[in-house]
Amino acid sequence: MRIERRKTGIAEVYTASLNDIMFFLLLFFLIISTMVTPMALKVLLPHSSTAEQVAVKKNIMLVVTGDRQYYIDDQKVGFGEIESRLSAILKNNTTPDGKAVEYVVLLQADKSLNVQDVIDLVDIGNKLHVKTLLFVDKT
């Protein structure tokens, strides 16, 4: 008598639905992790006598209208006075508490002006060794 062994079935796990579940779990944790803000630890920092001081940045608004009217911080000035006014402002390069002040000239020029008019103002900033940024309209 011949005894046959029973054939054992192959164990199989149907994983097609697990892909959907893993996707939704990943999406859930990504959304939740962006909404949770980590708690910041408040630490009292030690003082140092040799540490460098951080410069305080201040902006100087220089506006030029289409008819060549010049304004420094909302005060009307002539073209010849721009360099002297800016140098007077730049001489005050420390705050009352002793921190260094770094100035930036923000130039707003009308688009109807010649390029040379704008370059003349940038040259004044270069003479005074101050950064000059030209404002443009994003279209």
Side-chain angles (χ1 to χ4, degrees):
M1 176 170 177
R2 191 170 170 194
I3 301 177
E4 290 187 24
R5 292 188 165 198
R6 290 187 184 175
K7 293 186 179 180
T8 57
I10 299 174
E12 228 180 273
V13 177
Y14 186 69
T15 60
S17 63
L18 290 178
N19 291 334
D20 294 338
I21 293 171
M22 291 303 293
F23 174 74
F24 285 120
L25 283 174
L26 179 66
L27 187 65
F28 172 77
F29 284 115
L30 284 175
I31 291 172
I32 295 299
S33 66
T34 59
M35 294 183 349
V36 173
T37 56
M39 292 189 60
L41 298 175
K42 294 188 178 188
V43 178
L44 294 175
L45 298 176
H47 297 284
S48 172
S49 60
T50 59
E52 293 182 22
Q53 293 183 354
V54 176
V56 176
K57 292 188 179 184
K58 289 192 176 182
N59 297 330
I60 302 169
M61 292 296 297
L62 177 57
V63 180
V64 185
T65 61
D67 56 348
R68 293 186 182 154
Q69 301 286 328
Y70 300 95
Y71 296 91
I72 295 179
D73 291 334
D74 296 330
Q75 294 179 356
K76 187 176 180 180
V77 296
F79 180 76
E81 302 173 20
I82 293 174
E83 187 171 352
S84 61
R85 283 277 181 102
L86 287 177
S87 64
I89 293 172
L90 295 173
K91 282 182 183 177
N92 184 17
N93 59 358
T94 56
T95 60
D97 58 348
K99 292 184 179 179
V101 177
E102 182 180 324
Y103 286 100
V104 177
V105 175
L106 304 176
L107 177 59
Q108 292 182 342
D110 193 81
K111 69 179 180 179
S112 64
L113 292 173
N114 293 333
V115 175
Q116 188 61 49
D117 296 331
V118 177
I119 296 300
D120 291 339
L121 295 171
V122 172
D123 282 342
I124 291 173
N126 288 339
K127 284 181 195 174
L128 298 174
H129 304 290
V130 64
K131 292 181 184 176
T132 305
L133 298 177
L134 179 63
F135 274 74
V136 295
D137 189 17
K138 182 180 179 182
T139 54

